[in-house]
C-alpha cells in the first residue's frame, strides 16, 4: 500500500505547490473552497484510477518491490475503491453550488473562464462524458463492495472499466485548468494519464498476460473430498516452469474467465502442474462436474513470491496453513522431496476442521516423513486443538528470531499476527499470501 500512499502524497504536494505559487484565484472563501475541492477530488480520482489500470496489467517487474502479484492486486483493488470514493466526492462538490448560493449567495463566485473553438467543444464533450462515466463508476463501486453480488456477473461488468477509464481520462485532460500543465501537478497528471491510457488499450485489445499464457490439456480430475477438486494439466512449450509456492490464472471455461489458483505441485521439468481447488463459490462448487480429462485449459503465469527460496535460513521457520491454504506448502514439500538434505528446519502447522476426514493430513504425513527437517503439527478444531498465537509462542518458546509463512483465511491471519505481536518475545517476520480478486 506504500505505492498508493506515495502517489496520493505526491499529488497532494504538487497540488499544494500550485496553490502556493499561483494562488487560488478570485472569489470568496466558500466558492474558492468548492473550486479547489473540485479540482483536488478530480485529481485524486483519476490518479488512483490510473494506478489501478496500470496494476491491472499484471506488471511482473513490480512483483519484487511490491512483494508479489497478490499484493499488486490488493493495491489495485484499493486504488479502484478510492477512485470511486474520490469520484463520489467530486460529484457531490460539483452538485454543491445551489447549497452555497443559498447559504453564501452568488456574489464572490470565481468568474467562469471562457473558451472558444475546438477547445470549447472538447470541454463540453468531456463534461457530458465524464458525468455519464462517473455514474457508471459509482455503480461499479457499490457492486464491488456488496460481496453478495455474484462474482461471475461482477467480472463481466468489470471488463468495461478500461473503456470507462478512457472516458474519464478524456474528461480530466480537457477540463483540467490550463495553468496546471505548466506546473508539477500537471506533469504528474500527464504521466498518470499516459500510463493509465496505455494500460486501458492493452486490456481492451486482450494483450494483458499474453506473454505468459500457455495452453494445455487436463490429464486428471479427482475429488479427494466433496468440496475439493484436484486438477492436473499438461501444458505446451510456452510454459517455462514455476517456483514452488507460485500461482497461476486458470481458465477452464472462456465464458467464466480465469481464476487464480495456487500451484500445488513442484516443477519437475515436464510442464505438468496440479491445482487443489476449494469450493468457495458457484463456479468452483460445481467444477468437478464440468471438467474432464482431455479438455483444453489455458494457464497464465506463474506469478507470486510466496516462495521457498525466500525463507531466511537465519530465522526459525514457522509455516502455517489454514484449510486450502496448504496448497503452496504442498508444492514446497514436493520440491524438497527431491533433495531432503537441503530442506530447512521448519515446523509446519496445518489447521483443519476434522483431521479424520481431511485427505491432506495423510499426504502431509507421508511427505514430511521423507523430509527429516520438517516437523508436522496438525491442529484439529473438532478436538478443540485450534491454533492460537499463545499456543505458537509456547511451542516455539526458545526462538528469538523467527519467520512465519502463512496461507489461509484472512481473519485467521490477522488474529495470529496481532496475537504474536503481543506475545512473541523476539524478532518476528510475518509473510502472508494476500490474494483477492474482489
Amino acid at each position: 500500500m506504500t505505492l498508493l500512499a506515495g502517489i496520493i502524497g505526491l499529488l497532494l504536494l504538487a497540488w499544494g505547490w500550485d496553490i502556493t505559487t499561483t494562488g487560488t484565484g478570485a472569489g470568496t472563501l466558500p466558492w474558492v473552497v468548492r473550486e479547489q475541492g473540485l479540482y483536488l477530488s478530480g485529481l485524486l480520482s483519476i490518479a488512483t484510477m490510473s494506478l489501478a489500470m496500470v496494476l491491472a496489467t499484471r506488471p511482473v517487474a513490480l512483483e519484487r518491490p511490491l512483494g508479489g502479484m497478490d499484493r499488486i492486486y490488493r493495491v489495485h483493488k484499493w486504488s479502484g475503491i478510492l477512485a470511486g470514493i474520490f469520484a463520489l466526492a467530486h460529484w457531490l462538490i460539483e452538485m454543491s453550488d445551489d447549497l452555497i448560493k443559498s447559504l453564501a449567495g452568488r456574489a464572490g463566485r470565481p468568474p467562469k473562464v471562457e473558451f472558444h473553438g475546438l477547445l470549447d467543444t472538447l470541454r463540453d464533450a468531456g463534461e457530458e462524458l465524464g458525468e455519464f462515466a462517473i455514474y457508471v463508476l459509482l455503480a461499479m463501486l457499490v457492486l464491488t463492495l456488496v460481496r453478495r453480488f455474484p462474482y461471475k456477473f461482477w467480472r463481466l461488468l468489470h471488463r468495461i472499466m478500461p473503456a470507462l477509464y478512457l472516458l474519464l481520462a478524456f474528461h480530466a485532460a480537457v477540463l483540467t485548468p490550463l495553468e496546471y500543465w505548466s506546473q508539477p501537478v500537471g506533469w504528474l497528471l500527464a504521466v498518470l494519464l499516459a500510463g493509465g491510457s496505455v494500460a486501458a488499450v492493452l486490456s481492451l485489445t486482450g494483450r494483458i498476460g499474453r506473454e505468459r499464457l500457455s495452453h494445455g490439456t487436463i490429464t486428471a480430475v479427482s475429488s479427494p473430498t466433496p468440496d475439493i477438486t484436484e486438477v492436473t494439466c499438461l501444458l505446451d512449450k510456452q510454459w517455462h516452469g514455476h517456483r514452488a509456492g507460485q500461482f497461476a490464472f486458470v481458465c477452464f471455461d472462456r465464458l467464466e474467465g480465469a481464476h487464480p489458483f495456487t500451484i500445488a505441485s513442484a516443477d519437475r521439468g515436464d510442464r505438468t502442474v496440479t491445482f487443489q481447488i476449494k469450493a468457495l463459490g458457484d463456479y468452483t462448487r460445481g467444477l468437478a462436474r464440468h471438467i474432464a480429462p482431455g479438455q483444453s485449459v489455458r494457464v497464465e503465469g506463474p506469478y507470486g513470491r510466496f516462495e521457498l527460496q525466500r525463507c531466511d535460513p537465519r530465522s526459525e521457520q514457522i509455516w502455517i496453513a489454514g484449510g486450502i491454504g496448504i496448497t503452496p506448502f504442498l508444492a514446497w514439500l514436493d520440491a524438497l522431496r527431491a533433495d531432503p538434505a537441503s530442506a530447512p528446519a521448519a515446523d509446519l502447522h496445518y489447521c483443519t476442521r476434522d483431521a479424520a476426514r481431511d485427505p491432506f493430513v495423510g499426504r502431509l504425513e507421508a511427505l514430511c516423513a521423507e523430509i527429516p527437517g520438517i516437523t508436522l503439527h496438525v491442529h484439529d478444531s473438532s478436538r478443540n486443538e485450534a491454533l492460537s498465537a499463545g499456543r505458537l509462542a509456547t511451542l516455539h518458546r526458545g526462538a528469538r528470531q523467527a519467520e512465519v509463512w502463512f496461507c489461509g483465511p484472512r481473519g485467521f491471519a490477522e488474529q495470529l499476527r496481532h496475537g504474536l505481536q503481543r506475545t512473541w518475545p523476539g524478532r518476528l517476520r510475518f509473510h502472508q499470501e494476500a490474494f483477492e480478486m474482489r
Side-chain angles (χ1 to χ4, degrees):
M1 304 297 279
T2 304
L3 176 62
L4 177 57
I7 294 292
I8 292 175
L10 279 175
L11 198 60
L12 289 172
L13 287 173
W15 171 77
W17 175 267
D18 177 76
I19 289 180
T20 302
T21 56
T22 64
T24 59
T28 57
L29 183 61
W31 288 108
V32 168
V33 169
R34 175 186 179 272
E35 183 176 62
Q36 292 302 320
L38 194 66
Y39 293 157
L40 180 58
S41 59
L43 287 169
L44 290 171
S45 181
I46 198 64
T48 49
M49 195 180 304
S50 298
L51 177 60
M53 285 303 310
V54 171
L55 296 182
T57 63
R58 300 198 267 277
V60 179
L62 293 181
E63 281 206 278
R64 183 181 293 273
L66 296 186
M69 194 59 67
D70 57 327
R71 281 163 174 76
I72 287 176
Y73 257 83
R74 183 171 63 178
V75 178
H76 162 80
K77 169 187 172 181
W78 283 105
S79 297
I81 290 174
L82 285 177
I85 292 173
F86 289 136
L88 176 61
H90 185 71
W91 179 77
L92 290 174
I93 293 170
E94 172 67 26
M95 296 295 105
S96 69
D97 56 345
D98 289 336
L99 178 63
I100 295 176
K101 288 176 189 176
S102 64
L103 295 176
R106 186 185 296 271
R109 184 170 187 170
K112 186 176 180 180
V113 180
E114 296 293 335
F115 297 92
H116 303 282
L118 178 61
L119 183 57
D120 184 51
T121 302
L122 291 176
R123 287 176 64 88
D124 287 342
E127 195 166 350
E128 292 182 9
L129 290 174
E131 184 176 2
F132 165 76
I134 284 177
Y135 291 146
V136 179
L137 178 65
L138 294 178
M140 284 295 301
L141 174 63
V142 172
L143 294 179
T144 298
L145 296 176
V146 177
R147 301 299 294 253
R148 295 183 65 180
F149 186 76
Y151 172 81
K152 61 182 179 181
F153 298 128
W154 176 86
R155 184 187 67 84
L156 292 174
L157 290 173
H158 199 66
R159 294 180 67 177
I160 71 172
M161 287 303 299
L164 191 66
Y165 171 82
L166 292 175
L167 294 180
L168 289 168
F170 174 70
H171 169 85
V174 299
L175 291 177
T176 293
L178 294 181
E179 62 269 18
Y180 273 16
W181 300 114
S182 61
Q183 295 284 336
V185 64
W187 307 337
L188 179 58
L189 178 61
V191 171
L192 290 167
L193 288 175
S197 297
V198 170
V201 172
L202 290 175
S203 179
L204 290 172
T205 55
R207 297 180 62 185
I208 293 178
R210 183 179 294 179
E211 295 181 355
R212 288 182 164 243
L213 183 63
S214 302
H215 294 79
T217 304
I218 298 173
T219 58
V221 179
S222 62
S223 296
T225 66
D227 63 343
I228 293 176
T229 302
E230 180 177 286
V231 185
T232 300
C233 308
L234 177 62
L235 304 179
D236 61 20
K237 293 182 179 180
Q238 291 297 111
W239 182 259
H240 300 298
H242 68 280
R243 294 185 294 274
Q246 292 189 297
F247 69 88
F249 290 93
V250 185
C251 179
F252 299 111
D253 181 350
R254 196 163 189 171
L255 292 177
E256 179 64 32
H259 291 253
F261 299 121
T262 299
I263 303 170
S265 57
D267 184 9
R268 303 183 185 90
D270 59 0
R271 303 195 306 275
T272 296
V273 292
T274 297
F275 302 97
Q276 301 285 347
I277 302 173
K278 176 81 169 180
L280 297 174
D282 293 340
Y283 173 68
T284 51
R285 192 173 295 116
L287 183 61
R289 299 191 303 270
H290 298 124
I291 60 176
Q295 182 176 325
S296 62
V297 63
R298 292 187 304 169
V299 177
E300 180 198 326
Y303 297 107
R305 286 178 54 78
F306 197 89
E307 300 168 3
L308 181 62
Q309 294 91 328
R310 294 183 62 211
C311 292
D312 183 0
R314 298 166 298 178
S315 301
E316 179 163 337
Q317 292 296 310
I318 303 172
W319 303 347
I320 305 173
I324 200 62
I326 194 61
T327 48
F329 298 110
L330 288 174
W332 285 17
L333 296 174
D334 195 19
L336 290 171
R337 187 169 55 169
D339 186 11
S342 67
D347 287 83
L348 173 58
H349 297 267
Y350 177 51
C351 305
T352 178
R353 293 182 178 179
D354 189 351
R357 299 182 179 181
D358 193 320
F360 292 128
V361 172
R363 186 178 304 187
L364 289 171
E365 290 174 341
L367 286 169
C368 291
E370 299 181 40
I371 310 169
I374 309 298
T375 302
L376 176 65
H377 307 267
V378 178
H379 302 274
D380 189 350
S381 297
S382 67
R383 300 176 61 181
N384 296 319
E385 297 172 351
L387 184 63
S388 65
R391 189 170 184 182
L392 271 177
T394 300
L395 288 171
H396 301 275
R397 185 179 293 115
R400 303 303 302 175
Q401 181 173 327
E403 192 174 52
V404 173
W405 290 83
F406 177 93
C407 188
R410 185 176 60 179
F412 185 29
E414 294 303 314
Q415 177 186 344
L416 288 177
R417 185 197 296 269
H418 295 319
L420 289 171
Q421 287 174 351
R422 295 191 305 268
T423 60
W424 196 262
R427 182 183 175 189
L428 180 75
R429 294 185 65 192
F430 197 103
H431 302 269
Q432 176 189 355
E433 188 84 309
F435 205 103
E436 285 191 332
M437 286 291 286
R438 179 181 175 185

